[in-house]
Amino acid sequence: QVQLVESGGGLVQAGGSLRLSCEASGSISSFNVLGWYRQVSGKQRDLVANIRYTDDTDYADSVKVRFTISRDDVKNTVYLQMNDLKPEDTGVYYCAGDAEWYSGTYHSDYWGQGTQVTVSS
């Protein structure tokens, strides 16, 4: 079973940058889609960015241009480069493989444990 482990979160001032990493214990090539999702307290997990095996990407409107998702199939790692961070970006960031949308939220059998990102104003 592939396991995903996130890292790179922390406390940063508005306007700063962070790079999140999601390391997989196995090949990330086995997933059709890999993505980053954000969850704030008491709310559902929302899509931040996805990257598919075709290299097509999707971004939430709120992070487009500021964030960049990428993957390294040799290192089995997915990255999220976050620039010009805003307080609204605060939350726990999870990576997931092959997440699906149904019943009003995203579901996956391959969630990581999450990494906290806090942006101060």
Side-chain angles (χ1 to χ4, degrees):
Q1 179 66 43
V2 174
Q3 294 180 330
L4 304 174
V5 180
E6 301 94 335
S7 63
L11 176 64
V12 65
Q13 193 173 3
S17 298
L18 287 172
R19 188 179 74 160
L20 306 184
S21 298
C22 174
E23 298 183 46
S25 62
S27 176
I28 62 173
S29 298
S30 63
F31 296 108
N32 291 322
V33 183
L34 289 158
W36 287 96
Y37 302 80
R38 179 178 64 87
Q39 185 172 30
V40 297
S41 296
K43 297 185 181 299
Q44 297 173 341
R45 295 182 186 182
D46 294 327
L47 171 69
V48 177
N50 275 342
I51 184 165
R52 293 182 281 279
Y53 73 97
T54 59
D55 286 332
D56 289 333
T57 57
D58 293 311
Y59 295 94
D61 289 341
S62 61
V63 307
K64 202 167 187 177
V65 177
R66 297 189 297 118
F67 290 11
T68 302
I69 187 171
S70 62
R71 58 177 167 86
D72 187 329
D73 291 343
V74 175
K75 296 181 178 180
N76 289 318
T77 302
V78 180
Y79 303 98
L80 184 68
Q81 179 66 47
M82 305 186 295
N83 297 324
D84 192 24
L85 283 161
K86 301 177 180 181
E88 307 91 82
D89 299 320
T90 294
V92 179
Y93 284 73
Y94 299 87
C95 63
D98 289 335
E100 296 181 341
W101 173 268
Y102 62 88
S103 298
T105 190
Y106 286 96
H107 301 265
S108 177
D109 292 330
Y110 304 98
W111 291 109
Q113 295 301 305
T115 185
Q116 176 72 44
V117 172
T118 303
V119 184
S120 62
S121 61

